[in-house]
Amino acid sequence: MKRLLFALLLAAPLGFAAAGDPPGLDQLRVAADKGEADAQYELGVLYEYGFRFPDHKANAFVWYSRAAEQGHAQAAKRRDLLKSQMSTAEMGQAQKLLPIAATTATSTSTSEPTTPQ
């Protein structure tokens, strides 16, 4: 999974922004939805650094939290650091997304947490 993340980050400036998601990103989302902690952690990294994801901090927190719940130590560290950098509004949004993410993990109907309207 680390190689996939690295490839996605390198490919970003090469024109993927206009061409849609790279195929590896879809695979990463599917793996994360299936509960693979490494994939969840890597999606958290992509969200945290804003790789093609708007409103990235709350979603990064959610993915890190999902991975940390499975014992992923790096995810727990990133989640805690990110939490210290988030505004109250961003934390509120993340708290709203956590139950949604838990529900989608069991149903696998969507591949990323959705922001409540």
Side-chain angles (χ1 to χ4, degrees):
M1 286 291 171
K2 289 181 184 178
R3 288 183 184 161
L4 179 60
L5 174 64
F6 185 70
L8 289 171
L9 291 174
L10 285 179
L14 298 176
F16 278 118
D21 288 343
L25 185 55
D26 290 333
Q27 293 172 348
L28 187 62
R29 285 182 178 147
V30 168
D33 271 342
K34 288 182 179 179
E36 292 183 24
D38 285 338
Q40 292 169 340
Y41 169 74
E42 290 180 20
L43 268 182
V45 170
L46 291 173
Y47 271 103
E48 181 178 3
Y49 292 99
F51 175 75
R52 302 194 46 197
F53 297 120
D55 302 323
H56 57 277
K57 286 185 181 178
N59 285 312
F61 183 86
V62 170
W63 285 115
Y64 285 147
S65 295
R66 287 179 65 183
E69 288 171 4
Q70 297 182 70
H72 197 288
Q74 289 176 305
K77 288 178 186 177
R78 292 293 327 152
R79 177 202 57 205
D80 295 344
L81 179 62
L82 184 60
K83 183 177 180 178
S84 71
Q85 299 169 358
M86 293 171 68
S87 70
T88 303
E90 289 168 329
M91 275 308 299
Q93 182 182 13
Q95 294 302 322
K96 289 178 184 175
L97 291 174
L98 280 169
I100 294 169
T103 310
T104 59
T106 56
S107 69
T108 63
S109 61
T110 62
S111 58
E112 60 186 74
T114 53
T115 306
Q117 298 296 328

Short mmCIF file of all heavy atoms in Angstrom, two decimals, residues 26-36 40 43 63 66 70 99-114:
data_model
loop_
_atom_site.label_atom_id
_atom_site.label_comp_id
_atom_site.label_asym_id
_atom_site.label_seq_id
_atom_site.Cartn_x
_atom_site.Cartn_y
_atom_site.Cartn_z
N ASP A 26 -8.97 4.18 -6.56
CA ASP A 26 -10.19 3.38 -6.39
C ASP A 26 -9.90 2.11 -5.59
O ASP A 26 -10.68 1.72 -4.72
CB ASP A 26 -10.82 3.02 -7.73
CG ASP A 26 -11.43 4.22 -8.44
OD1 ASP A 26 -11.84 5.17 -7.74
OD2 ASP A 26 -11.50 4.20 -9.68
N GLN A 27 -8.79 1.47 -5.89
CA GLN A 27 -8.40 0.25 -5.17
C GLN A 27 -8.15 0.57 -3.70
O GLN A 27 -8.52 -0.21 -2.82
CB GLN A 27 -7.15 -0.36 -5.78
CG GLN A 27 -7.35 -0.91 -7.16
CD GLN A 27 -6.04 -1.34 -7.82
OE1 GLN A 27 -4.96 -1.03 -7.33
NE2 GLN A 27 -6.15 -2.04 -8.93
N LEU A 28 -7.54 1.70 -3.44
CA LEU A 28 -7.26 2.11 -2.07
C LEU A 28 -8.56 2.35 -1.31
O LEU A 28 -8.72 1.91 -0.17
CB LEU A 28 -6.39 3.37 -2.06
CG LEU A 28 -5.88 3.85 -0.72
CD1 LEU A 28 -4.97 2.80 -0.08
CD2 LEU A 28 -5.12 5.16 -0.89
N ARG A 29 -9.52 3.00 -1.94
CA ARG A 29 -10.82 3.24 -1.30
C ARG A 29 -11.55 1.94 -1.00
O ARG A 29 -12.13 1.78 0.06
CB ARG A 29 -11.69 4.13 -2.19
CG ARG A 29 -11.28 5.56 -2.20
CD ARG A 29 -12.22 6.37 -3.06
NE ARG A 29 -11.86 7.76 -3.03
CZ ARG A 29 -12.01 8.58 -4.05
NH1 ARG A 29 -12.54 8.15 -5.17
NH2 ARG A 29 -11.66 9.84 -3.95
N VAL A 30 -11.53 1.01 -1.95
CA VAL A 30 -12.20 -0.27 -1.75
C VAL A 30 -11.56 -1.01 -0.56
O VAL A 30 -12.26 -1.54 0.30
CB VAL A 30 -12.14 -1.14 -3.03
CG1 VAL A 30 -12.56 -2.56 -2.77
CG2 VAL A 30 -13.03 -0.51 -4.11
N ALA A 31 -10.24 -1.02 -0.52
CA ALA A 31 -9.54 -1.70 0.58
C ALA A 31 -9.85 -1.03 1.91
O ALA A 31 -10.08 -1.71 2.92
CB ALA A 31 -8.03 -1.69 0.33
N ALA A 32 -9.92 0.30 1.93
CA ALA A 32 -10.24 1.02 3.17
C ALA A 32 -11.65 0.70 3.62
O ALA A 32 -11.90 0.49 4.81
CB ALA A 32 -10.07 2.52 2.96
N ASP A 33 -12.58 0.65 2.69
CA ASP A 33 -13.97 0.32 3.04
C ASP A 33 -14.11 -1.10 3.57
O ASP A 33 -14.99 -1.38 4.36
CB ASP A 33 -14.89 0.51 1.84
CG ASP A 33 -15.44 1.91 1.76
OD1 ASP A 33 -15.40 2.64 2.77
OD2 ASP A 33 -15.93 2.28 0.69
N LYS A 34 -13.24 -1.97 3.11
CA LYS A 34 -13.27 -3.35 3.58
C LYS A 34 -12.64 -3.49 4.96
O LYS A 34 -12.65 -4.57 5.53
CB LYS A 34 -12.56 -4.27 2.59
CG LYS A 34 -13.34 -4.48 1.32
CD LYS A 34 -12.62 -5.43 0.39
CE LYS A 34 -13.43 -5.64 -0.88
NZ LYS A 34 -12.75 -6.53 -1.81
N GLY A 35 -12.08 -2.40 5.47
CA GLY A 35 -11.54 -2.43 6.82
C GLY A 35 -10.05 -2.63 6.91
O GLY A 35 -9.52 -2.87 8.00
N GLU A 36 -9.33 -2.49 5.82
CA GLU A 36 -7.88 -2.64 5.86
C GLU A 36 -7.27 -1.39 6.47
O GLU A 36 -7.34 -0.30 5.91
CB GLU A 36 -7.33 -2.89 4.45
CG GLU A 36 -7.74 -4.22 3.88
CD GLU A 36 -7.15 -4.50 2.52
OE1 GLU A 36 -6.09 -3.93 2.18
OE2 GLU A 36 -7.75 -5.30 1.79
N GLN A 40 -6.82 2.55 5.17
CA GLN A 40 -7.50 3.64 5.88
C GLN A 40 -6.49 4.71 6.28
O GLN A 40 -6.74 5.91 6.13
CB GLN A 40 -8.23 3.10 7.10
CG GLN A 40 -9.40 2.23 6.75
CD GLN A 40 -9.97 1.49 7.93
OE1 GLN A 40 -9.32 1.31 8.95
NE2 GLN A 40 -11.19 1.00 7.78
N LEU A 43 -5.43 6.65 3.15
CA LEU A 43 -6.46 7.62 2.75
C LEU A 43 -6.44 8.82 3.69
O LEU A 43 -6.62 9.95 3.26
CB LEU A 43 -7.85 6.97 2.75
CG LEU A 43 -8.31 6.36 1.44
CD1 LEU A 43 -9.71 5.80 1.58
CD2 LEU A 43 -8.24 7.34 0.30
N TRP A 63 -10.66 8.85 8.70
CA TRP A 63 -9.90 7.68 8.22
C TRP A 63 -8.82 7.28 9.22
O TRP A 63 -8.61 6.09 9.46
CB TRP A 63 -9.29 7.96 6.84
CG TRP A 63 -10.33 7.91 5.75
CD1 TRP A 63 -10.73 8.94 4.96
CD2 TRP A 63 -11.09 6.78 5.34
NE1 TRP A 63 -11.70 8.51 4.09
CE2 TRP A 63 -11.94 7.19 4.30
CE3 TRP A 63 -11.15 5.45 5.75
CZ2 TRP A 63 -12.83 6.33 3.66
CZ3 TRP A 63 -12.03 4.58 5.12
CH2 TRP A 63 -12.86 5.03 4.08
N ARG A 66 -10.56 5.43 12.05
CA ARG A 66 -10.95 4.06 11.70
C ARG A 66 -9.75 3.12 11.76
O ARG A 66 -9.85 2.00 12.26
CB ARG A 66 -11.58 4.03 10.31
CG ARG A 66 -12.99 4.64 10.31
CD ARG A 66 -13.62 4.65 8.96
NE ARG A 66 -13.86 3.30 8.47
CZ ARG A 66 -14.36 3.03 7.27
NH1 ARG A 66 -14.67 4.01 6.44
NH2 ARG A 66 -14.55 1.79 6.89
N GLN A 70 -8.36 -0.03 14.93
CA GLN A 70 -7.87 -1.39 14.65
C GLN A 70 -6.44 -1.58 15.15
O GLN A 70 -5.82 -2.60 14.85
CB GLN A 70 -7.93 -1.66 13.15
CG GLN A 70 -9.35 -1.63 12.61
CD GLN A 70 -9.36 -1.96 11.14
OE1 GLN A 70 -9.11 -3.11 10.77
NE2 GLN A 70 -9.63 -0.97 10.32
N PRO A 99 -19.87 8.45 12.78
CA PRO A 99 -20.92 7.42 12.71
C PRO A 99 -21.28 7.05 11.27
O PRO A 99 -21.57 5.90 10.98
CB PRO A 99 -22.12 8.07 13.41
CG PRO A 99 -21.58 9.22 14.16
CD PRO A 99 -20.32 9.63 13.48
N ILE A 100 -21.22 8.00 10.36
CA ILE A 100 -21.50 7.74 8.95
C ILE A 100 -20.45 6.79 8.39
O ILE A 100 -20.76 5.84 7.70
CB ILE A 100 -21.54 9.05 8.14
CG1 ILE A 100 -22.72 9.91 8.59
CG2 ILE A 100 -21.61 8.77 6.65
CD1 ILE A 100 -22.72 11.31 8.04
N ALA A 101 -19.19 7.03 8.74
CA ALA A 101 -18.10 6.17 8.27
C ALA A 101 -18.26 4.76 8.81
O ALA A 101 -18.02 3.78 8.11
CB ALA A 101 -16.76 6.75 8.68
N ALA A 102 -18.68 4.63 10.04
CA ALA A 102 -18.88 3.31 10.63
C ALA A 102 -20.00 2.56 9.91
O ALA A 102 -19.91 1.36 9.68
CB ALA A 102 -19.18 3.42 12.12
N THR A 103 -21.05 3.27 9.54
CA THR A 103 -22.17 2.65 8.84
C THR A 103 -21.75 2.23 7.44
O THR A 103 -22.09 1.13 7.00
CB THR A 103 -23.35 3.64 8.73
OG1 THR A 103 -23.61 4.18 10.01
CG2 THR A 103 -24.59 2.95 8.22
N THR A 104 -21.00 3.08 6.73
CA THR A 104 -20.59 2.72 5.38
C THR A 104 -19.58 1.59 5.39
O THR A 104 -19.49 0.84 4.42
CB THR A 104 -20.01 3.93 4.62
OG1 THR A 104 -18.89 4.44 5.33
CG2 THR A 104 -21.05 4.99 4.41
N ALA A 105 -18.86 1.43 6.46
CA ALA A 105 -17.90 0.33 6.54
C ALA A 105 -18.62 -1.00 6.54
O ALA A 105 -18.14 -1.98 5.98
CB ALA A 105 -17.03 0.47 7.77
N THR A 106 -19.79 -1.05 7.15
CA THR A 106 -20.53 -2.31 7.19
C THR A 106 -21.35 -2.53 5.93
O THR A 106 -21.53 -3.64 5.48
CB THR A 106 -21.46 -2.36 8.42
OG1 THR A 106 -22.33 -1.25 8.39
CG2 THR A 106 -20.66 -2.38 9.69
N SER A 107 -21.82 -1.45 5.32
CA SER A 107 -22.65 -1.60 4.12
C SER A 107 -21.85 -1.51 2.83
O SER A 107 -22.31 -1.98 1.79
CB SER A 107 -23.75 -0.54 4.10
OG SER A 107 -23.20 0.74 3.90
N THR A 108 -20.68 -0.87 2.88
CA THR A 108 -19.82 -0.61 1.72
C THR A 108 -20.58 0.00 0.55
O THR A 108 -20.26 -0.23 -0.60
CB THR A 108 -19.05 -1.87 1.25
OG1 THR A 108 -20.00 -2.85 0.81
CG2 THR A 108 -18.15 -2.42 2.31
N SER A 109 -21.57 0.83 0.86
CA SER A 109 -22.33 1.47 -0.21
C SER A 109 -21.59 2.68 -0.78
O SER A 109 -21.79 3.02 -1.93
CB SER A 109 -23.71 1.89 0.30
OG SER A 109 -23.58 2.81 1.35
N THR A 110 -20.74 3.34 0.01
CA THR A 110 -19.93 4.43 -0.50
C THR A 110 -18.51 4.20 -0.04
O THR A 110 -18.27 3.53 0.95
CB THR A 110 -20.40 5.81 0.02
OG1 THR A 110 -20.28 5.84 1.42
CG2 THR A 110 -21.82 6.11 -0.41
N SER A 111 -17.58 4.81 -0.75
CA SER A 111 -16.19 4.52 -0.46
C SER A 111 -15.48 5.60 0.33
O SER A 111 -14.33 5.44 0.67
CB SER A 111 -15.44 4.27 -1.76
OG SER A 111 -15.55 5.40 -2.58
N GLU A 112 -16.14 6.69 0.63
CA GLU A 112 -15.52 7.70 1.46
C GLU A 112 -16.59 8.37 2.29
O GLU A 112 -17.74 8.41 1.91
CB GLU A 112 -14.75 8.72 0.62
CG GLU A 112 -15.61 9.46 -0.37
CD GLU A 112 -14.76 10.35 -1.26
OE1 GLU A 112 -14.07 9.83 -2.13
OE2 GLU A 112 -14.79 11.56 -1.04
N PRO A 113 -16.19 8.86 3.45
CA PRO A 113 -17.18 9.54 4.28
C PRO A 113 -17.76 10.74 3.53
O PRO A 113 -17.02 11.45 2.88
CB PRO A 113 -16.39 10.00 5.51
CG PRO A 113 -15.05 9.38 5.40
CD PRO A 113 -14.88 8.86 4.01
N THR A 114 -19.04 10.91 3.63
CA THR A 114 -19.65 12.04 2.98
C THR A 114 -19.94 13.12 3.99
O THR A 114 -20.24 12.84 5.14
CB THR A 114 -20.97 11.64 2.29
OG1 THR A 114 -21.78 10.97 3.25
CG2 THR A 114 -20.71 10.73 1.10
#
